[in-house]
Amino acid sequence: MAGIGDGKNKKGDNGIGNAIDFVLSNARLVLGVGGAAMLGIATLAVKRMYDRAISAPSSPSKMDLRSGKQSWEEPSWIGSSPRLLTRDMKMNVSRSLQALPTGSMSFEAGTSKSSAKKSQMDLKKARLRLSLQDKLYVYYRKHVVIPGAEISRAKQAAMDICTELRNFIHTKLPDMPLRDMYLSGSLYDDLQVVTADHVQLMVPLILEKNLWAAIPGEETIMNAPGFWLVRRENVEYFPRGSSYWDRCIVGGYLSPKVVNETFDKALSGTINWPAIGSVLDLIIRPVVPSETLTLEVQYDTSKTLFIEFLPLIVMEETMLIAKPHRDGRYENMWRQSFRTAETVKLRALDEWDGGCRCCCLKILKAICKSIPVLNKLTASQLTNVILHSCEKESDWSPDLLADKFLLILKELISYLEQGLLTCSLDTKVNLFLELSDEEIDELGYMLYCSLSEPETLLNT
């Protein structure tokens, strides 16, 4: 049997030799002596590689049946190489061969190793998120939530003052066309944080529909989306004096500044606030100076409530309030208020899926309230960042609070980099309009520095 096998090998070798001789002889005719020599050298090198390959064992491994483990033998063809290998070199080659991956088993081992490394990284990230989530909930319980007794006491104080003001206006200014005043703000939406310290007293004005028209700010020469002009109309048929509010007109438009001044003169100059405070067991002081009529109410030895008096116009579905621009611009324009609609939308999303949007908003509001640099960020800006994020992320489960908190920080930084945060209810309105470039840079830098260690924002 061995002879038969050797015969086959020799026959194969002679066949290859004959083929090489045939190629070289023909190459001498075509390429000449020099070209044939080069071809011969290349062909000889190929033949030697072929001889070395067929002399190596077909499989360098065999199975140890007793132990069930794969063991490697030193290949016998290492020593037959023309190069003389030392013992150390042979050991190194053998060791390298043993380290080589073999078949699907080695591929699976490499895959499992990489997957294990990825799992460890995922586990580490999960632990960091869990740690941040725990800290966020601790912060929420200790610093964000207002005690129920404090909320009740603040609401009662606000209601008492609202009743006194309503009675006073109806008595002293009976011809002033107003709807019922009401209290509003985050305190009544369960979105106020840290302490119960501010509410809005909304004073709805009654305007004759045929005498007044609202003009969007982007359609005026000021080009101010989010602000409106209220124009007096039909003067030729209904001359000045036909409406009570004609006395507050400036340049043909109802001026929120003059409206505020009218209420300020009527209330601040004639109401005896100390006397009313003593009756209500409160200390009441008007805030001077102030852009709007604001009362400072001390309802406990260490608790103070600010009540902002806000004239309001509702024209169709648009709510306009007499709150001026932050830097004093557009003093004859009314600010559009999106607060009610934004709050309704945010709470509806949480009620629908039991999400953590409102919780995340309250944490962010508390952080901005406790860090002076971030005080310039308003509740409306934070709310809109969350509403925009809800369009990208649908899952707001409470166990994802840490992820959503980091998402909002990153989104907010992105908006600050652009200098643009559009209102979710009116994309023409830029909610960063009243911030200067320096303030935007300062806010962005502060938040960017906190990304590496977001827990620093929770240190109070």
Side-chain angles (χ1 to χ4, degrees):
M1 295 295 290
I4 296 175
D6 294 341
K8 287 183 179 180
N9 289 337
K10 289 180 180 178
K11 184 179 181 180
D13 291 344
N14 292 334
I16 293 175
N18 295 332
I20 292 173
D21 293 338
F22 176 77
V23 170
L24 292 177
S25 62
N26 285 279
R28 192 179 304 117
L29 295 176
V30 177
L31 301 176
V33 177
M38 294 182 64
L39 181 61
I41 294 172
T43 307
L44 182 60
V46 172
K47 184 176 183 301
R48 285 184 178 179
M49 291 175 61
Y50 175 79
D51 293 340
R52 188 176 302 171
I54 62 174
S55 65
S58 59
S59 175
S61 63
K62 67 179 181 179
M63 187 70 65
D64 186 348
L65 300 178
R66 289 176 298 175
S67 61
K69 297 180 180 179
Q70 192 174 27
S71 61
W72 289 89
E73 286 185 347
E74 180 180 352
S76 59
W77 48 272
I78 289 180
S80 63
S81 172
R83 295 180 57 189
L84 297 178
L85 302 180
T86 63
R87 179 179 179 84
D88 292 339
M89 293 175 67
K90 290 184 179 182
M91 291 179 62
N92 290 336
V93 172
S94 298
R95 194 176 297 113
S96 299
L97 289 173
Q98 294 176 20
L100 289 175
T102 58
S104 60
M105 292 179 61
S106 61
F107 177 77
E108 293 174 357
T111 304
S112 61
K113 184 176 181 180
S114 61
S115 61
K117 185 176 180 180
K118 184 176 183 298
S119 300
Q120 290 178 356
M121 293 179 64
D122 292 341
L123 181 59
K124 185 177 181 180
K125 291 180 180 179
R127 287 175 179 172
L128 291 175
R129 286 197 300 268
L130 183 61
S131 175
L132 176 60
Q133 180 134 320
D134 291 339
K135 292 178 180 179
L136 286 171
Y137 277 117
V138 170
Y139 181 82
Y140 182 83
R141 291 191 299 269
K142 289 187 175 181
H143 303 287
V144 177
V145 177
I146 306 172
E150 181 180 341
I151 293 176
S152 299
R153 185 74 180 95
K155 286 183 176 180
Q156 185 60 51
M159 179 58 68
D160 291 342
I161 293 176
C162 179
T163 302
E164 290 293 329
L165 288 174
R166 183 188 297 118
N167 294 337
F168 177 84
I169 291 175
H170 287 332
T171 301
K172 299 296 182 180
L173 304 169
D175 58 338
M176 182 179 284
L178 298 174
R179 302 188 190 279
D180 286 339
M181 293 185 288
Y182 63 93
L183 292 163
S184 180
S186 58
L187 185 64
Y188 297 89
D189 300 322
D190 190 29
L191 291 176
Q192 195 154 133
V193 298
V194 183
T195 183
D197 59 2
H198 64 279
V199 297
Q200 288 80 43
L201 177 56
M202 312 305 292
V203 187
L205 280 57
I206 298 177
L207 299 181
E208 297 84 356
K209 291 184 178 180
N210 60 329
L211 301 184
W212 304 95
I215 312 298
E218 59 269 21
E219 298 180 9
T220 69
I221 193 173
M222 279 79 74
N223 188 23
F227 289 84
W228 293 63
L229 286 173
V230 179
R231 184 174 62 198
R232 176 68 156 87
E233 297 201 327
N234 296 324
V235 180
E236 61 276 16
Y237 302 108
F238 303 93
R240 298 286 177 86
S242 302
S243 173
Y244 178 90
W245 301 109
D246 283 341
R247 66 193 69 188
C248 299
I249 286 180
V250 174
Y253 299 93
L254 181 62
S255 171
K257 181 179 180 181
V258 178
V259 171
N260 274 328
E261 291 173 350
T262 301
F263 281 108
D264 190 28
K265 292 176 182 177
L267 299 178
S268 299
T270 56
I271 292 182
N272 188 343
W273 293 112
I276 294 177
S278 62
V279 172
L280 300 176
D281 193 22
L282 302 170
I283 299 176
I284 307 174
R285 292 182 295 266
V287 176
V288 180
S290 177
E291 296 176 343
T292 58
L293 176 60
T294 304
L295 301 176
E296 180 183 355
V297 181
Q298 185 175 339
Y299 63 92
D300 200 351
T301 54
S302 60
K303 300 297 180 182
T304 302
L305 176 70
F306 291 91
I307 302 178
E308 186 178 19
F309 194 89
L310 280 180
L312 166 71
I313 297 175
V314 179
M315 304 190 78
E316 296 181 356
E317 296 182 356
T318 304
M319 296 182 64
L320 307 175
I321 57 177
K323 189 169 185 177
H325 190 279
R326 185 165 171 255
D327 61 6
R329 289 185 290 173
Y330 317 132
E331 62 180 16
N332 289 323
M333 300 186 77
W334 294 74
R335 179 191 296 269
Q336 184 172 0
S337 174
F338 300 98
R339 193 197 67 80
T340 301
E342 291 168 352
T343 303
V344 169
K345 184 176 180 180
L346 188 70
R347 295 181 68 87
L349 289 171
D350 265 1
E351 291 173 0
W352 180 70
D353 61 4
C356 61
R357 300 170 187 84
C358 290
C359 179
C360 192
L361 173 62
K362 293 173 74 172
I363 291 174
L364 290 167
K365 288 176 64 176
I367 290 172
C368 293
K369 194 170 186 175
S370 61
I371 300 177
V373 177
L374 302 180
N375 282 346
K376 300 177 185 68
L377 289 174
T378 66
S380 178
Q381 293 164 350
L382 298 174
T383 301
N384 276 274
V385 174
I386 295 177
L387 290 176
H388 284 309
S389 300
C390 289
E391 299 174 0
K392 305 174 184 177
E393 299 282 339
S394 58
D395 189 359
W396 286 76
S397 305
D399 56 348
L400 297 177
L401 176 62
D403 291 335
K404 301 309 176 186
F405 177 78
L406 293 175
L407 170 66
I408 298 304
L409 287 182
K410 294 176 183 177
E411 291 290 314
L412 183 53
I413 292 171
S414 176
Y415 290 124
L416 287 167
E417 287 177 346
Q418 302 172 42
L420 175 65
L421 172 60
T422 58
C423 176
S424 61
L425 302 177
D426 186 352
T427 56
K428 297 185 297 294
V429 178
N430 179 14
L431 298 175
F432 286 158
L433 180 66
E434 297 177 65
L435 291 174
S436 67
D437 293 340
E438 292 76 13
E439 289 171 336
I440 290 177
D441 291 341
E442 186 178 23
L443 289 167
Y445 178 76
M446 175 69 184
L447 293 173
Y448 182 79
C449 292
S450 68
L451 275 183
S452 58
E453 295 183 13
E455 294 86 353
T456 56
L457 296 174
L458 309 179
N459 296 333
T460 58

